[in-house]
Amino acid sequence: PKPSPPPPSSPGGDSRGFSSKSGVGLMVMVVAFCVVCGVMVLSPAANGLRASITTGQLFTKIYDSRVQSRTTQTNAKVDATADIGRRSALKGVSATAVSLIATSSKVQALDTQSPFKVSMDLALDATTTSPVTFEIYPEWAPLGAEQFKTLVSNGFYNDCRFFRVVDNFVVQFGINGSPDINKQYKKPIKDDPVTQSNKRGTIVFATSGKNSRTTQLFVNLQDNAFLDRMGFSPIGKVSEGGMEIIDKIYGGYGEGAPSGSGPDQMVLQRKGNSYLESAFPKLSYIKAANVITE
């Protein structure tokens, strides 16, 4: 028989000691070795990949954290800016409100210093009634002007008699016909400096001494400059044409008691108009007085 052909061998290699089983075993060992080496080689790569993933996740978290932090800071700045804006706006509103309040106060202050007029309907006698207007100037005598305005507004002078009329001197009024009402207005006001002379037609508060003005006033029937030195401070004057009416106020009873035969102020304070109507029926009087609002 012919011999079996020799197993193949690598070029130049010796084929002795190698059988097919041995070759298979060797191949298995090589494959196993490669697998082991591959695992050893791939494991660090896999670990590196995992590490890379973990690091990426970390960077992502850090990035997200920084973004979130910056966003939070930005939002905080926006909120702070908005808050500052709101505070500024509120301050602006407050400043405007304060400014408006101050302006309103100034306007009110100016109003108290603005001239005003008072109209009076005078019953000169039993059949004749004539209107007279007084122009009041607070800048002349602010306290007196304010007192007169208050009294007129309260209706104090309605039905008041001109109880003292002295020719070529003054005509005086300001004692209410009700004793009870008079008692409500006994508190005096302080004096005003004399800034205007007591000329004919000026209206002035009567006094009984320093800081004693209450409700009584008089109208100068002529220039009485000597009253300036005595502290009588005019608060206004009769409007143009009004003195023709004032001159017609009844003065037949003359100076009051005790110097003359006219009405006694002390009795008038105590008894009111009932005393005047019975003893001095011809006295002219104020039917109504009002502050003119324009």
Side-chain angles (χ1 to χ4, degrees):
K2 295 181 179 179
S4 299
S9 61
S10 58
D14 190 355
S15 61
R16 288 179 297 181
F18 289 94
S19 65
S20 60
K21 291 183 179 180
S22 297
V24 172
L26 179 62
M27 291 179 66
V28 171
M29 291 178 64
V30 170
V31 170
F33 176 78
C34 290
V35 169
V36 172
C37 290
V39 170
M40 292 178 65
V41 170
L42 290 175
S43 292
N47 289 335
L49 181 60
R50 285 194 296 270
S52 297
I53 292 174
T54 304
T55 303
Q57 290 175 341
L58 178 61
F59 282 135
T60 301
K61 289 183 179 180
I62 293 174
Y63 175 78
D64 291 341
S65 177
R66 289 182 177 179
V67 169
Q68 184 177 3
S69 177
R70 289 179 181 178
T71 302
T72 302
Q73 292 176 358
T74 301
N75 291 338
K77 289 181 180 179
V78 170
D79 291 340
T81 303
D83 186 56
I84 292 172
R86 286 192 295 270
R87 291 183 181 180
S88 298
L90 289 174
K91 288 181 179 179
V93 170
S94 299
T96 302
V98 170
S99 177
L100 287 174
I101 293 171
T103 301
S104 177
S105 298
K106 289 180 180 178
V107 169
Q108 291 178 355
L110 288 174
D111 285 343
T112 62
Q113 294 299 314
S114 299
F116 61 92
K117 294 181 180 180
V118 170
S119 64
M120 290 186 180
D121 292 328
L122 306 186
L124 299 175
D125 54 41
T127 60
T128 306
T129 299
S130 298
V132 172
T133 300
F134 293 89
E135 300 171 5
I136 308 302
Y137 299 95
E139 63 182 30
W140 289 9
L143 298 179
E146 184 64 22
Q147 175 79 342
F148 185 51
K149 187 175 187 178
T150 299
L151 291 167
V152 172
S153 298
N154 291 346
F156 180 87
Y157 294 111
N158 296 346
D159 208 32
C160 283
R161 268 54 177 175
F162 292 96
F163 60 84
R164 184 188 182 206
V165 181
V166 181
D167 289 340
N168 297 318
F169 184 37
V170 298
V171 55
Q172 190 166 333
F173 67 98
I175 297 178
N176 192 274
S178 168
D180 291 335
I181 291 178
N182 278 315
K183 291 176 183 178
Q184 298 175 23
Y185 294 91
K186 288 297 185 181
K187 184 178 180 179
I189 62 172
K190 293 183 178 180
D191 293 336
D192 283 305
V194 179
T195 63
Q196 305 293 317
S197 183
N198 282 261
K199 295 181 178 180
R200 171 176 164 82
T202 54
I203 181 171
V204 190
F205 268 96
T207 71
S208 59
K210 185 176 181 180
N211 297 324
S212 61
R213 297 179 298 174
T214 54
T215 62
Q216 293 189 45
L217 298 103
F218 62 86
V219 178
N220 283 298
L221 297 178
Q222 68 172 17
D223 292 348
N224 294 312
F226 71 94
L227 295 178
D228 302 347
R229 299 187 298 272
M230 299 174 67
F232 291 95
S233 180
I235 65 171
K237 64 180 182 180
V238 177
S239 295
E240 185 176 355
M243 284 305 294
E244 295 179 4
I245 306 301
I246 297 296
D247 288 336
K248 294 177 181 179
I249 291 174
Y250 185 80
Y253 299 117
E255 177 66 277
S259 300
S261 59
D264 186 326
Q265 292 189 38
M266 298 302 294
V267 177
L268 175 56
Q269 295 272 6
R270 189 169 63 252
K271 294 184 176 181
N273 277 351
S274 60
Y275 160 64
L276 297 179
E277 289 171 352
S278 60
F280 307 94
K282 294 184 179 181
L283 290 178
S284 301
Y285 65 94
I286 302 168
K287 295 184 71 173
N290 297 283
V291 176
I292 299 176
T293 57
E294 299 180 353

PDB file of all heavy atoms in Angstrom, residues 104-116:
ATOM      1  N   SER A 104     -50.772 120.946  47.894  1.00  0.00           N
ATOM      2  CA  SER A 104     -52.119 121.188  48.397  1.00  0.00           C
ATOM      3  C   SER A 104     -52.100 122.072  49.632  1.00  0.00           C
ATOM      4  O   SER A 104     -52.916 122.974  49.781  1.00  0.00           O
ATOM      5  CB  SER A 104     -52.795 119.853  48.725  1.00  0.00           C
ATOM      6  OG  SER A 104     -54.077 120.061  49.288  1.00  0.00           O
ATOM      7  N   SER A 105     -51.125 121.809  50.538  1.00  0.00           N
ATOM      8  CA  SER A 105     -51.008 122.617  51.750  1.00  0.00           C
ATOM      9  C   SER A 105     -50.699 124.060  51.404  1.00  0.00           C
ATOM     10  O   SER A 105     -51.227 124.999  52.007  1.00  0.00           O
ATOM     11  CB  SER A 105     -49.908 122.051  52.659  1.00  0.00           C
ATOM     12  OG  SER A 105     -50.232 120.744  53.053  1.00  0.00           O
ATOM     13  N   LYS A 106     -49.805 124.239  50.410  1.00  0.00           N
ATOM     14  CA  LYS A 106     -49.458 125.598  49.988  1.00  0.00           C
ATOM     15  C   LYS A 106     -50.670 126.306  49.406  1.00  0.00           C
ATOM     16  O   LYS A 106     -50.899 127.484  49.646  1.00  0.00           O
ATOM     17  CB  LYS A 106     -48.325 125.556  48.966  1.00  0.00           C
ATOM     18  CG  LYS A 106     -46.976 125.163  49.559  1.00  0.00           C
ATOM     19  CD  LYS A 106     -45.893 125.150  48.496  1.00  0.00           C
ATOM     20  CE  LYS A 106     -44.548 124.761  49.089  1.00  0.00           C
ATOM     21  NZ  LYS A 106     -43.488 124.710  48.048  1.00  0.00           N
ATOM     22  N   VAL A 107     -51.454 125.535  48.609  1.00  0.00           N
ATOM     23  CA  VAL A 107     -52.650 126.127  48.014  1.00  0.00           C
ATOM     24  C   VAL A 107     -53.622 126.542  49.100  1.00  0.00           C
ATOM     25  O   VAL A 107     -54.203 127.631  49.066  1.00  0.00           O
ATOM     26  CB  VAL A 107     -53.320 125.130  47.051  1.00  0.00           C
ATOM     27  CG1 VAL A 107     -54.698 125.631  46.632  1.00  0.00           C
ATOM     28  CG2 VAL A 107     -52.447 124.937  45.819  1.00  0.00           C
ATOM     29  N   GLN A 108     -53.778 125.646  50.114  1.00  0.00           N
ATOM     30  CA  GLN A 108     -54.665 125.988  51.215  1.00  0.00           C
ATOM     31  C   GLN A 108     -54.158 127.206  51.962  1.00  0.00           C
ATOM     32  O   GLN A 108     -54.928 128.076  52.365  1.00  0.00           O
ATOM     33  CB  GLN A 108     -54.797 124.790  52.164  1.00  0.00           C
ATOM     34  CG  GLN A 108     -55.562 123.622  51.552  1.00  0.00           C
ATOM     35  CD  GLN A 108     -55.632 122.437  52.488  1.00  0.00           C
ATOM     36  OE1 GLN A 108     -55.029 122.439  53.561  1.00  0.00           O
ATOM     37  NE2 GLN A 108     -56.362 121.422  52.080  1.00  0.00           N
ATOM     38  N   ALA A 109     -52.826 127.245  52.170  1.00  0.00           N
ATOM     39  CA  ALA A 109     -52.247 128.395  52.850  1.00  0.00           C
ATOM     40  C   ALA A 109     -52.496 129.669  52.054  1.00  0.00           C
ATOM     41  O   ALA A 109     -52.815 130.723  52.604  1.00  0.00           O
ATOM     42  CB  ALA A 109     -50.748 128.190  53.061  1.00  0.00           C
ATOM     43  N   LEU A 110     -52.341 129.549  50.710  1.00  0.00           N
ATOM     44  CA  LEU A 110     -52.585 130.704  49.864  1.00  0.00           C
ATOM     45  C   LEU A 110     -54.048 131.117  49.926  1.00  0.00           C
ATOM     46  O   LEU A 110     -54.373 132.301  49.905  1.00  0.00           O
ATOM     47  CB  LEU A 110     -52.191 130.379  48.420  1.00  0.00           C
ATOM     48  CG  LEU A 110     -50.681 130.277  48.142  1.00  0.00           C
ATOM     49  CD1 LEU A 110     -50.453 129.809  46.708  1.00  0.00           C
ATOM     50  CD2 LEU A 110     -50.001 131.622  48.357  1.00  0.00           C
ATOM     51  N   ASP A 111     -54.959 130.108  50.000  1.00  0.00           N
ATOM     52  CA  ASP A 111     -56.382 130.411  50.070  1.00  0.00           C
ATOM     53  C   ASP A 111     -56.706 131.226  51.312  1.00  0.00           C
ATOM     54  O   ASP A 111     -57.550 132.112  51.282  1.00  0.00           O
ATOM     55  CB  ASP A 111     -57.209 129.125  50.059  1.00  0.00           C
ATOM     56  CG  ASP A 111     -57.259 128.494  48.664  1.00  0.00           C
ATOM     57  OD1 ASP A 111     -56.948 129.202  47.690  1.00  0.00           O
ATOM     58  OD2 ASP A 111     -57.603 127.310  48.584  1.00  0.00           O
ATOM     59  N   THR A 112     -56.059 130.892  52.432  1.00  0.00           N
ATOM     60  CA  THR A 112     -56.320 131.627  53.661  1.00  0.00           C
ATOM     61  C   THR A 112     -55.785 133.049  53.573  1.00  0.00           C
ATOM     62  O   THR A 112     -56.202 133.917  54.331  1.00  0.00           O
ATOM     63  CB  THR A 112     -55.681 130.921  54.877  1.00  0.00           C
ATOM     64  OG1 THR A 112     -54.253 130.875  54.703  1.00  0.00           O
ATOM     65  CG2 THR A 112     -56.211 129.510  55.032  1.00  0.00           C
ATOM     66  N   GLN A 113     -54.843 133.291  52.644  1.00  0.00           N
ATOM     67  CA  GLN A 113     -54.276 134.625  52.483  1.00  0.00           C
ATOM     68  C   GLN A 113     -54.918 135.394  51.330  1.00  0.00           C
ATOM     69  O   GLN A 113     -54.602 136.547  51.104  1.00  0.00           O
ATOM     70  CB  GLN A 113     -52.764 134.521  52.255  1.00  0.00           C
ATOM     71  CG  GLN A 113     -51.982 133.992  53.458  1.00  0.00           C
ATOM     72  CD  GLN A 113     -52.120 134.887  54.663  1.00  0.00           C
ATOM     73  OE1 GLN A 113     -52.003 136.113  54.553  1.00  0.00           O
ATOM     74  NE2 GLN A 113     -52.373 134.314  55.823  1.00  0.00           N
ATOM     75  N   SER A 114     -55.817 134.733  50.594  1.00  0.00           N
ATOM     76  CA  SER A 114     -56.449 135.387  49.457  1.00  0.00           C
ATOM     77  C   SER A 114     -57.555 136.323  49.931  1.00  0.00           C
ATOM     78  O   SER A 114     -58.312 135.996  50.852  1.00  0.00           O
ATOM     79  CB  SER A 114     -57.032 134.346  48.504  1.00  0.00           C
ATOM     80  OG  SER A 114     -56.016 133.515  48.002  1.00  0.00           O
ATOM     81  N   PRO A 115     -57.704 137.469  49.301  1.00  0.00           N
ATOM     82  CA  PRO A 115     -58.801 138.383  49.652  1.00  0.00           C
ATOM     83  C   PRO A 115     -60.151 137.715  49.427  1.00  0.00           C
ATOM     84  O   PRO A 115     -60.296 136.843  48.568  1.00  0.00           O
ATOM     85  CB  PRO A 115     -58.590 139.558  48.688  1.00  0.00           C
ATOM     86  CG  PRO A 115     -57.149 139.495  48.301  1.00  0.00           C
ATOM     87  CD  PRO A 115     -56.824 138.028  48.253  1.00  0.00           C
ATOM     88  N   PHE A 116     -61.133 138.106  50.179  1.00  0.00           N
ATOM     89  CA  PHE A 116     -62.492 137.613  49.984  1.00  0.00           C
ATOM     90  C   PHE A 116     -63.471 138.748  50.263  1.00  0.00           C
ATOM     91  O   PHE A 116     -63.092 139.803  50.781  1.00  0.00           O
ATOM     92  CB  PHE A 116     -62.782 136.399  50.876  1.00  0.00           C
ATOM     93  CG  PHE A 116     -62.673 136.653  52.353  1.00  0.00           C
ATOM     94  CD1 PHE A 116     -63.780 137.036  53.103  1.00  0.00           C
ATOM     95  CD2 PHE A 116     -61.455 136.490  53.014  1.00  0.00           C
ATOM     96  CE1 PHE A 116     -63.692 137.258  54.469  1.00  0.00           C
ATOM     97  CE2 PHE A 116     -61.347 136.714  54.375  1.00  0.00           C
ATOM     98  CZ  PHE A 116     -62.458 137.098  55.110  1.00  0.00           C
TER      99      PHE A 116
END
